[in-house]
Amino acid sequence: WYQRRVREARLMLQSVTNTNPKHAPGWIAAARLEEVTGKLQQARNIIVKACEVCPKNEDVWIEAARLQPSEMAKSIIAKAVRNLPQSVKIWDKAVQLEDDTMAKRRVLRKALENIPNSVKLWKDA
């Protein structure tokens, strides 16, 4: 019955993303369903499509970065920053993806140039 349930969930989520393509939670749920069933590449394909359809949604970009290997995640977050330069959540993710302290500081400086009034970013700096 597990296979049948997964198939039903896929159909339902496909219906959600087709009828309401701007509904980011539907895309994220569809990607997560594929991820938990072991179809990581399919999950990545879905969330990349979601980034194209919902470019102003932070959660879609964060999910896309989470599903990718580190270097690819950085390029996804760079695109997210271009689409959402005022998003503290996106900048915070960009900082987390950096390995060394100097790179983290560089990203934080850039973030503060875009969002100078962010208390969270100032605390992280």
Side-chain angles (χ1 to χ4, degrees):
W1 62 264
Y2 174 77
Q3 298 275 340
R4 192 177 80 236
R5 294 282 184 188
V6 169
R7 213 173 14 257
E8 289 169 0
R10 271 192 191 113
L11 284 171
M12 183 195 65
L13 290 168
Q14 188 175 27
S15 172
V16 167
T17 56
N18 287 340
T19 57
N20 192 358
K22 298 285 185 197
H23 185 68
W27 289 101
I28 293 168
R32 287 189 179 168
L33 175 66
E34 297 306 332
E35 180 188 20
V36 298
T37 57
K39 297 187 174 188
L40 188 55
Q41 191 54 53
Q42 182 63 19
R44 288 174 178 160
N45 294 345
I46 288 169
I47 208 69
V48 164
K49 175 82 171 141
C51 289
E52 294 167 9
V53 177
C54 308
K56 300 296 181 191
N57 186 287
E58 296 171 317
D59 296 327
V60 167
W61 290 105
I62 299 290
E63 184 70 8
R66 188 185 70 76
L67 288 171
Q68 298 291 342
S70 180
E71 282 309 307
M72 190 66 182
K74 285 181 186 180
S75 99
I76 284 173
I77 288 298
K79 287 179 190 169
V81 161
R82 286 193 292 279
N83 280 286
L84 296 160
Q86 300 296 309
S87 168
V88 173
K89 203 173 184 181
I90 295 291
W91 281 107
D92 191 44
K93 185 65 177 175
V95 171
Q96 290 172 22
L97 289 172
E98 293 299 335
D99 295 322
D100 71 287
T101 308
M102 288 307 291
K104 286 181 186 290
R105 284 193 181 135
R106 212 173 18 255
V107 172
L108 271 170
R109 256 194 312 277
K110 196 82 174 140
L112 286 166
E113 286 173 19
N114 283 280
I115 319 170
N117 297 329
S118 168
V119 173
K120 181 177 184 353
L121 291 174
W122 277 108
K123 282 182 178 176
D124 291 348

